[in-house]
Amino acid sequence: YFNGNINNIPFEFSEVTIKIKRDKSYHTIYKGPFFAVQFSHNFNSHTVVVPDTLEKSMGGFGRALQKLNLSRLKEKLIKIDNVEFEKKFAVYSRDEQEAKKILQHNICSLLIEERNRLGKRGNIYFAFNENKFFLGISNFADIFMINITCR
């Protein structure tokens, strides 16, 4: 776990592993760094950007399932005017205008670029709520592992 300030902007991050139990064994669903950065500006609503696995695997039917929004009852599925971003991510928010204001071209491009860099071995998760934004990069690697050998 690390925390600090850069130019008076508080941040914290850690490497996180999330496992779920299926039957009698555990499966890792997320492993990688998770960042939280605090802003002086408060966001009006809660917005989440997740990998678009349903639409990617099931096409239009997957998009219809996303719109049902069974796991996020307060947020609705938001369509972003960026074709490449829409292919890779699903956006859920309570405030469509705020979500689109924050997910401008430069943020979308950054998320797309990082997703492309990861390839099939990882995913990107992004959210903002109150005065913080969160970024998770699931890459299934131990990037903060320190291996010291003494001779």
Side-chain angles (χ1 to χ4, degrees), residues 8-128:
N8 292 324
I9 299 172
F11 71 92
E12 53 192 317
F13 66 95
S14 184
E15 193 166 88
V16 175
T17 301
I18 301 172
K19 296 181 179 193
I20 60 171
K21 188 173 183 177
R22 290 190 189 140
D23 300 320
K24 294 183 180 184
S25 62
Y26 287 90
H27 298 274
T28 302
I29 59 171
Y30 178 94
K31 183 175 182 178
F34 190 83
F35 302 87
V37 179
Q38 185 174 325
F39 284 109
S40 57
H41 170 75
N42 255 8
F43 301 111
N44 295 324
S45 81
H46 176 78
T47 298
V48 178
V49 177
V50 295
D52 192 350
T53 53
L54 276 177
E55 189 171 356
K56 186 183 292 182
S57 63
M58 302 172 87
F61 181 67
R63 182 122 181 117
L65 285 175
Q66 287 174 328
K67 286 182 180 179
L68 290 176
N69 202 13
L70 300 174
S71 63
R72 292 181 169 79
L73 298 177
K74 294 181 182 177
E75 293 94 7
K76 66 178 186 171
L77 182 64
I78 306 294
K79 184 164 174 51
I80 302 297
D81 297 328
N82 181 319
V83 175
E84 190 175 0
F85 185 84
E86 277 291 318
K87 288 179 183 177
K88 297 180 184 308
F89 299 101
V91 178
Y92 295 92
S93 182
R94 296 177 190 161
D95 185 337
E96 183 172 354
Q97 288 181 327
E98 183 177 64
K100 288 182 175 184
K101 182 178 177 184
I102 292 169
L103 292 170
Q104 299 259 334
H105 178 73
N106 57 342
I107 296 293
C108 288
S109 295
L110 180 69
L111 293 172
I112 291 166
E113 183 180 313
E114 183 62 19
R115 178 65 191 94
N116 289 341
R117 189 184 67 76
L118 289 170
K120 293 182 180 182
R121 62 185 168 92
N123 272 312
I124 303 290
Y125 302 83
F126 181 78
F128 45 94

